[in-house]
Amino acid sequence: MSDQATTLAPQFEGLAQQKESAIFGMWVFLVTEVMFFGGMFAGYTAYRYRFHEAFTAGSDHLNLLLGGVNTAVLILSSFTMAMAVHSAQLNRRRALIVFLVLTMLLGSTFLGIKAVEYSHKFHEHLLPGPAFQFEGADPQHAQLFFSFYFAMTGFHALHMVIGVALLAIMTWFAWRGRFSAEYYNPIEVSGLYWHFVDIVWIFLFPLLYLVGHHG
Amino acid sequence: MNAAPPAANAMPKVHYLNVDYGIRSWLFTIDHKRIALLYLGSITLFFVLGGLFATAIRLELLTPAGDLFESETYNKMFTMHGVVMIFFFLIPSIPATLGNFLVPMMIGARDLAFPRINLLSWYIYTLGGLFTLFAILSGGVDTGWTFYTPYSSTYSNTNVMATAVGVFILGFSSILTGFNFIITIHKMRAPGLTWFRLPLFIWAHYATSVIMILGTPVVAIAIALVGLERLFHIGIFNPALGGDPVLFQHLFWFYSHPAVYIMILPSMGVISEIVCCFSRKKIFGYSFVAFSSIAIALLGFLVWGHHMFVSSQSMYAGMVFSILSFLVAIPSAVKVFNWTATMYKGSVMYNAPMLYAMGFIGLFTMGGLTGLFLSTLATDVHLHDTYFVVAHFHYIMVGGALMGYLGGIHFWWPKISGRLYPEAWARFSALIIFVGFNLTFFPQFILGYLGMPRRYHAYPPEFQVLNVMSTAGASILAVGYAIPLIYLFWSLRYGPAAGPNPWQAKGLEWQTSSPPPTHNFPETPVVTEEAYEYYPGAEAERV
Ligand code: HEM
Ligand SMILES: [Cu+2]
């Protein structure tokens, strides 16, 4: 079974067709992800436009430093991921494993920092719901800001968790010597996924953290 | 063609159905044809379940007084009818069964691009189905299939959460199906099979898949946010927390209007195949029909606001949505004209699939035209949330999509099962369904026009006559659906062997044995002509 999967699946005519299908498939999948996040982005944009003051006030309560560090961590992880794909291409198994592990570590760092941020928000009573407290002109719509904040970063974090799990599986496969310079589609495809999740954050960071910081 | 098939039509010795026996060989299969049959079984169960809820609704509406159920129970009945029929029957119906079976065969491939993901989609469907069944058995839901907030997120005391999770999970199965079709159609076509030689069934499924992957994630996020609201009290849709319930309607209809095309486009693909085969003619205006599918898929994303004319959306937005909705009717009409033109001067044969196709054309036209009444701002203020809307979408979804589904099941039954169904019974039940359908739903246009609102268990006595007609029609319809269920099962054992191509149809799927072998074709076919060359000589004669 595992031997077969490393070579050609029976429905394909050749390795080239198999690879094209895998990569095209990932792109199509990412389109669905764009739509998934797009729904929230659209809602967020509409309300930020309508309740600009309240959203700015809410945004001021986010920790710019932690958010900034996290952005750097993710950009770095995109680099290590790219290096992992590159190593797979060149059939360097050890380098591949090292870069996959590094990427996972960076991803976990991101999640750790995110958890710290969440717990701050919890203690500051910024979690929407009955316990929500906010000093400001329009606490109701600041609460809406935090609804979006938690929904959007929460779904992003969920994607990160899935990404880390995916890379763990890839590391295991790499360890077992499943990939070669001819066949490393799963690594390439996981890389696309990882970059996508990073890019979502690259949009989330300015939208959520930098609302009031322009000009 | 109606004559008994020649004796040479023996069944092949080994085919996809008998290569392997036992439950494991089905539950772990990655053969697209077997997965299609798994889906066929599951959606049939859900169809029967949805039918039971429909029966409950029609029985309650037999009399003006709300005597059979409390209004709360009635709310649950129509909600579960809608949820089951739309999400668990109609959306997967043609793509997951006929599509799964035929997309690889029609393009000359051995399987879909990702057979394991295909199997996964069935398991996801089943899991979503189990959640929804659990919701139904543990008391039901009463929000309407549209889950409007804030009722669904804050007030309803029924099992919204389990249903929402069920529908959310289910969404991924249709995303995976659409995803698989897109990659397969792009990458796995047989040599010589260019885009403009593809059967229109494939174009229709391609367009459907585009909607599935673009629309479904949006309804997924909308439903997920409703779930988060119930669980964690975040308030994106809750006015008490600064949110806005209308945003939910926007997200919901952004998917659910295109979703109505997920339901109808595959059926249109089926109709194109059937009409050409039984008129013995090439489709009239191939590229118009092909591109109208794409146009429907794209324009369909721009009209969702026509469901919200009276929910506080700005008047100017309403006018734009109204005009855009008129535009969607154009590609739909193009198809109707082209099918009719294909039949014109063809040698039409009235086999059961063709009867369904003709039923489709008429009923879909009715449904589409009444859609124009509804997308006219002024008339919609009167008709919104009346039985007129109910009649409109049943003409399209039952009269159109379901007729197409049944026509397709009959047309490809010989390929799927290797056996012929009893033609006389099939024609008889097609007629019964047509009559029963019109008796059920035509009165509802009049009821809605007279002002009977939808979703109430009681109504003023002057509406009773029309309601009795509708309930009577529904009983006829039920008989019409029961008959094929019986004789199709019967034919599995007693039907005469069909042979590879009982209709002398064009299309690669007919070039291999019935039932096909596991990898569909002994060797990859090479395509040298356009689709539907029923009389290859005809072109030359015309010149
Ligand atoms: C020819 C193009 C179509 C037009 C212009 C059109 C127009 C409309 C409009 C304006 C409404 C809203 C009525 C109201 O709530 O006041 C509506 C409702 C509906 N239509 Fe269509 N429609 C079209 C095609 C379809 C198709 C192809 C389907 C299904 C396969 C469909 C299914 C529905 C459903 C399910 C509803 C009711 C949703 C609900 O409130 O529960 N329509 N249509
Ligand atoms: Cu619509």
Side-chain angles (χ1 to χ4, degrees):
Chain A
M1 174 87 185
S2 68
D3 268 332
Q4 230 175 35
T6 54
T7 53
L8 186 61
Q11 70 273 20
F12 292 112
E13 297 285 341
L15 277 172
Q17 190 189 36
Q18 172 163 316
K19 179 165 184 185
E20 275 174 28
S21 302
I23 290 173
F24 183 52
M26 197 63 198
W27 280 107
V28 173
F29 174 74
L30 293 184
V31 170
T32 71
E33 290 277 22
V34 169
M35 296 307 291
F36 185 85
F37 281 100
M40 283 184 291
F41 275 113
Y44 176 83
T45 310
Y47 289 106
R48 180 179 145 183
Y49 177 73
R50 252 170 74 186
F51 309 115
H52 188 80
E53 305 293 302
F55 272 47
T56 311
S59 167
D60 284 343
H61 285 256
L62 297 185
N63 190 326
L64 202 55
L65 178 68
L66 291 183
V69 171
N70 253 351
T71 308
V73 167
L74 276 196
I75 292 178
L76 195 60
S77 82
S78 256
F79 171 71
T80 53
M81 187 68 229
M83 287 309 291
V85 176
H86 186 66
S87 316
Q89 240 162 11
L90 300 179
N91 213 354
R92 293 193 190 135
R93 193 159 71 100
R94 283 192 43 156
L96 169 62
I97 293 174
V98 168
F99 281 117
L100 284 176
V101 170
L102 274 181
T103 314
M104 278 192 288
L105 284 179
L106 289 167
S108 312
T109 311
F110 174 91
L111 287 169
I113 295 180
K114 202 76 222 149
V116 172
E117 275 192 86
Y118 276 180
S119 78
H120 287 173
K121 297 291 158 302
F122 184 73
H123 290 303
E124 291 162 23
H125 297 285
L126 291 175
L127 204 64
F132 186 82
Q133 280 170 16
F134 191 83
E135 308 287 314
D138 188 357
Q140 221 194 6
H141 292 118
Q143 178 157 223
L144 181 61
F145 172 81
F146 280 101
S147 288
F148 274 110
Y149 168 78
F150 279 105
M152 292 167 92
T153 56
F155 275 112
H156 176 261
L158 181 67
H159 279 78
M160 291 289 300
V161 172
I162 294 173
V164 172
L166 190 69
L167 292 191
I169 299 174
M170 289 307 132
T171 315
W172 169 246
F173 283 167
W175 185 264
R176 299 262 311 263
R178 222 190 190 184
F179 303 121
S180 63
E182 288 78 48
Y183 178 80
Y184 61 96
N185 302 346
I187 300 284
E188 175 131 23
V189 161
S190 312
L192 282 175
Y193 175 83
W194 190 266
H195 295 313
F196 170 79
V197 178
D198 285 359
I199 289 173
V200 171
W201 178 258
I202 299 296
F203 279 92
L204 283 177
F205 177 66
L207 277 181
L208 294 171
Y209 288 74
L210 305 180
V211 180
H213 294 263
H214 49 68
Chain B
M1 171 134 92
N2 291 328
N9 286 339
M11 302 267 272
K13 276 211 181 57
V14 183
H15 49 76
Y16 79 103
L17 291 169
N18 70 4
V19 280
D20 214 342
Y21 292 98
I23 188 84
R24 288 175 56 92
S25 78
W26 283 89
L27 292 182
F28 297 111
T29 182
I30 51 170
D31 180 350
H32 65 104
K33 300 182 287 306
R34 284 186 164 215
I35 296 170
L37 293 189
L38 291 176
Y39 263 116
L40 184 62
S42 336
I43 67 168
T44 306
L45 288 181
F46 274 104
F47 179 67
V48 172
L49 183 66
L52 291 178
F53 290 127
T55 313
I57 297 172
R58 281 322 316 166
L59 284 179
E60 169 63 70
L61 295 180
L62 201 50
T63 55
D67 38 17
L68 195 56
F69 302 115
E70 301 285 304
S71 56
E72 283 83 8
T73 319
Y74 181 77
N75 292 350
K76 291 181 182 173
M77 290 300 158
F78 71 69
T79 300
M80 294 185 296
H81 168 67
V83 168
V84 166
M85 285 301 203
I86 290 188
F87 293 113
F88 290 92
F89 173 70
L90 209 47
I91 287 181
S93 62
I94 294 182
T97 58
L98 295 173
N100 254 339
F101 197 97
L102 293 166
V103 165
M105 299 200 66
M106 283 185 169
I107 65 171
R110 288 190 281 272
D111 205 320
L112 288 170
F114 303 108
R116 288 203 188 90
I117 291 183
N118 196 18
L119 181 63
L120 179 68
S121 90
W122 182 73
Y123 277 102
I124 293 178
Y125 170 90
T126 308
L127 187 69
L130 288 177
F131 265 98
T132 305
L133 278 182
F134 166 76
I136 290 171
L137 294 176
S138 64
V141 222
D142 67 349
T143 58
W145 77 279
T146 46
F147 298 110
Y148 270 17
T149 54
Y151 183 69
S152 65
S153 53
T154 315
Y155 300 108
S156 172
N157 291 320
T158 56
N159 220 331
V160 183
M161 206 50 218
T163 319
V165 172
V167 171
F168 179 80
I169 295 177
L170 170 89
F172 288 94
S173 87
S174 69
I175 290 177
L176 292 183
T177 302
F179 161 84
N180 228 332
F181 286 174
I182 290 183
I183 320 293
T184 308
I185 295 170
H186 269 276
K187 299 287 177 197
M188 316 265 294
R189 282 170 284 127
L193 191 51
T194 57
W195 282 88
F196 290 96
R197 287 177 177 175
L198 286 172
L200 292 162
F201 183 91
I202 299 289
W203 277 95
H205 273 75
Y206 187 81
T208 308
S209 306
V210 169
I211 306 178
M212 282 173 160
I213 66 156
L214 291 181
T216 319
V218 180
V219 83
I221 187 65
I223 292 178
L225 291 175
V226 170
L228 289 182
E229 232 172 285
R230 284 186 82 91
L231 277 182
F232 300 119
H233 305 288
I234 70 164
I236 291 179
F237 304 132
N238 184 350
L241 301 182
D244 188 344
V246 178
L247 176 63
F248 174 82
Q249 296 187 22
H250 279 293
L251 292 179
F252 182 84
W253 288 116
F254 180 82
Y255 163 75
S256 290
H257 181 82
V260 306
Y261 294 109
I262 295 182
M263 301 180 233
I264 197 72
L265 275 170
S267 222
M268 293 171 154
V270 168
I271 301 307
S272 298
E273 301 296 316
I274 295 179
V275 164
C276 291
C277 175
F278 291 100
S279 310
R280 305 274 107 198
K281 267 181 71 185
K282 202 169 176 161
I283 189 86
F284 181 86
Y286 174 94
S287 53
F288 276 89
V289 182
F291 280 120
S292 63
S293 290
I294 306 294
I296 287 178
L298 298 181
L299 279 174
F301 276 105
L302 305 178
V303 302
W304 76 91
H306 66 211
H307 296 272
M308 301 167 60
F309 286 151
V310 295
S311 58
S312 85
Q313 139 189 294
S314 100
M315 188 180 72
Y316 300 103
M319 284 156 77
V320 172
F321 280 125
S322 171
I323 292 170
L324 287 170
S325 304
F326 294 158
L327 288 184
V328 174
I330 296 174
S332 313
V334 164
K335 289 193 188 268
V336 170
F337 290 133
N338 285 31
W339 292 321
T340 329
T342 307
M343 283 159 64
Y344 178 69
K345 288 196 173 163
S347 23
V348 178
M349 289 170 297
Y350 299 97
N351 293 62
M354 190 62 171
L355 294 183
Y356 281 112
M358 291 163 71
F360 175 104
I361 296 174
L363 300 178
F364 172 75
T365 305
M366 285 279 288
L369 285 176
T370 51
L372 294 178
F373 295 27
L374 292 172
S375 37
T376 310
L377 278 171
T379 43
D380 188 59
V381 173
H382 174 63
L383 295 173
H384 178 67
D385 263 350
T386 67
Y387 259 87
F388 194 90
V389 177
V390 176
H392 154 68
F393 66 73
H394 281 87
Y395 261 76
I396 296 180
M397 304 211 284
V398 182
L402 187 56
M403 286 266 188
Y405 171 71
L406 288 174
I409 291 284
H410 281 83
F411 185 54
W412 283 289
W413 189 252
K415 185 52 63 185
I416 296 173
S417 71
R419 297 187 182 271
L420 296 174
Y421 60 81
E423 185 63 45
W425 279 105
R427 291 184 191 185
F428 174 67
S429 67
L431 283 177
I432 296 260
I433 289 175
F434 185 80
V435 171
F437 174 84
N438 281 298
L439 190 56
T440 311
F441 291 105
F442 195 79
Q444 298 186 0
F445 277 128
I446 306 173
L447 282 169
Y449 177 74
L450 295 176
M452 178 169 163
R454 62 194 280 205
R455 296 183 167 172
Y456 286 89
H457 72 149
Y459 55 84
E462 64 261 33
F463 292 143
Q464 188 172 13
V465 175
L466 288 165
N467 270 297
V468 169
M469 284 166 72
S470 183
T471 301
S475 352
I476 299 179
L477 202 50
V479 174
Y481 293 141
I483 300 175
L485 209 59
I486 298 170
Y487 67 68
L488 288 180
F489 265 112
W490 176 89
S491 75
L492 282 180
R493 201 179 174 101
Y494 302 104
N501 190 358
W503 312 121
Q504 277 106 57
K506 294 286 172 177
L508 293 178
E509 79 271 26
W510 300 106
Q511 291 183 10
T512 183
S513 58
S514 318
T518 297
H519 284 309
N520 299 343
F521 302 95
E523 55 199 82
T524 305
V526 176
V527 181
T528 53
E529 58 178 23
E530 291 181 2
Y532 317 115
E533 290 286 359
Y534 276 100
Y535 285 115
E539 205 73 19
E541 274 164 38
R542 234 182 289 142
V543 176

